[in-house]
Amino acid sequence: GYQVLPTRPAAPAPAPHAGTDMQSDAQQHAALATYARFWCLHQLAPFADQAFALAGAMDHRMIDESCQTGPGACLRAHFDYDWLVRLPLALACLLFPGRRLLLLAHLVNVVGWADRMPAVWDYMCWCALMEAPFVLAAATSSSMAETARKFLPAMRAQLVVLYFSAAFWKLTSSWYDGHYSCSTVLMSELLSGLEPLFPPLATLSGLMLHAAPALVAGIEFAVPALLLLQPRHGVLLALVFHQTINLMPATYAGGFSIAMCARQIIFLPAAAAGA
């Protein structure tokens, strides 16, 4: 006859490895700390320019007492929160990037931006739109890792949408008319700075001026598309694009470029844990 063998009970599912979770938390913590240090470098740029008497970018975030909404209408006219609060916080966050310190630093930035509204640079609105979610994420989290999981994916999505919006608003007849488009003016300025270094560029100047509107709009559409689909290539193109703005000798509107370059790190592996 047949012998019935006793069945062996199924082995229990292995418990999650605690080390994996700890490693993931460490990666998320490191990712947010990396973002934080680059963010701090952006905050320190206008202070460094003023401290060392450098001309700096014309569109740096304002750190003086100017208030274009009216005499004494801004809180900054009565209390120097830039040098007395924002600067120490930026330095502290650079050295010790912790959740509470970063929460306070981002909150002060948002309050300062609102205090100077509407007399702010456009890119400062971009920064505020990305800093406000950090405040919310940090305030509702208990650790750097939890904050990173909430904030970094949201910021990546925001930056892609903001770049797309900048490109979208160039889909106008005026932008593609060389008589009105600022792209031809800025391209001529860029070429004037590059031609002394690379004389052969002079033979391409006319072509570059005519192509400037389509070229700039194409790059501005390509940057967010690549950041979404091929982040490393998107970061490279964004850095090249912003560096061309930094090379313009007259209208050095480098504040926007510095702000965006400091934030590109969130698309790279160093700060893309769990992307």
Side-chain angles (χ1 to χ4, degrees):
Y2 295 100
Q3 183 179 4
V4 179
L5 298 176
T7 58
R8 179 178 298 177
H17 197 281
T20 303
D21 292 340
M22 291 176 62
Q23 184 181 18
S24 177
D25 283 351
Q27 289 174 340
Q28 294 287 352
H29 183 118
L32 193 63
T34 302
Y35 153 80
R37 290 193 168 98
F38 276 83
W39 180 85
C40 290
L41 292 176
H42 168 228
Q43 306 310 309
L44 294 174
F47 293 101
D49 283 351
Q50 195 167 119
F52 295 105
L54 302 175
M58 62 175 289
D59 62 338
H60 266 325
R61 186 180 181 121
M62 299 77 73
I63 57 173
D64 55 15
E65 297 181 13
S66 62
C67 182
Q68 299 183 39
T69 54
C74 293
L75 174 62
R76 178 61 178 80
H78 306 282
F79 174 66
D80 188 356
Y81 53 72
D82 288 310
W83 288 88
L84 298 179
V85 181
R86 286 187 59 238
L87 176 58
L89 276 174
L91 290 171
C93 289
L94 183 64
L95 298 174
F96 310 105
R99 180 181 63 87
R100 292 184 178 87
L101 268 179
L102 288 167
L103 167 59
L104 182 57
H106 281 70
L107 178 61
V108 170
N109 253 25
V110 174
V111 171
W113 163 80
D115 182 43
R116 292 187 184 265
M117 280 288 287
V120 299
W121 297 101
D122 289 349
Y123 83 88
M124 289 174 60
C125 296
W126 285 31
C127 293
L129 285 172
M130 289 181 281
E131 289 167 349
F134 182 93
V135 173
L136 180 62
T140 58
S141 300
S142 59
S143 67
M144 287 279 282
E146 186 180 355
T147 303
R149 289 189 177 93
K150 294 177 181 178
F151 169 68
L152 291 177
M155 183 181 174
R156 293 184 195 104
Q158 281 184 302
L159 205 48
V160 168
V161 171
L162 289 169
Y163 271 119
F164 265 125
S165 70
F168 174 80
W169 289 112
K170 289 176 174 58
L171 299 179
T172 64
S173 57
S174 296
W175 174 260
Y176 293 96
D177 188 329
H179 296 89
Y180 306 105
S181 178
C182 68
S183 63
T184 52
V185 176
L186 297 178
M187 180 64 77
S188 63
E189 185 182 338
L190 177 62
L191 291 172
S192 71
L194 292 178
E195 284 178 7
L197 302 175
F198 307 99
L201 278 177
T203 60
L204 300 174
S205 294
L207 176 62
M208 295 294 288
L209 291 176
H210 282 95
L215 178 63
V216 174
I219 291 174
E220 291 200 17
F221 272 111
V223 166
L226 286 174
L227 288 176
L228 184 62
L229 302 174
Q230 294 289 336
R232 292 184 185 221
H233 298 151
V235 169
L236 176 60
L237 182 60
L239 293 177
V240 171
F241 170 68
H242 286 297
Q243 187 58 32
T244 61
I245 299 175
N246 288 339
L247 292 174
M248 294 178 184
T251 55
Y252 174 41
F256 169 55
S257 291
I258 294 171
M260 295 302 107
C261 288
R263 287 164 170 81
Q264 296 298 320
I265 188 65
I266 66 170
F267 291 98
L268 296 178

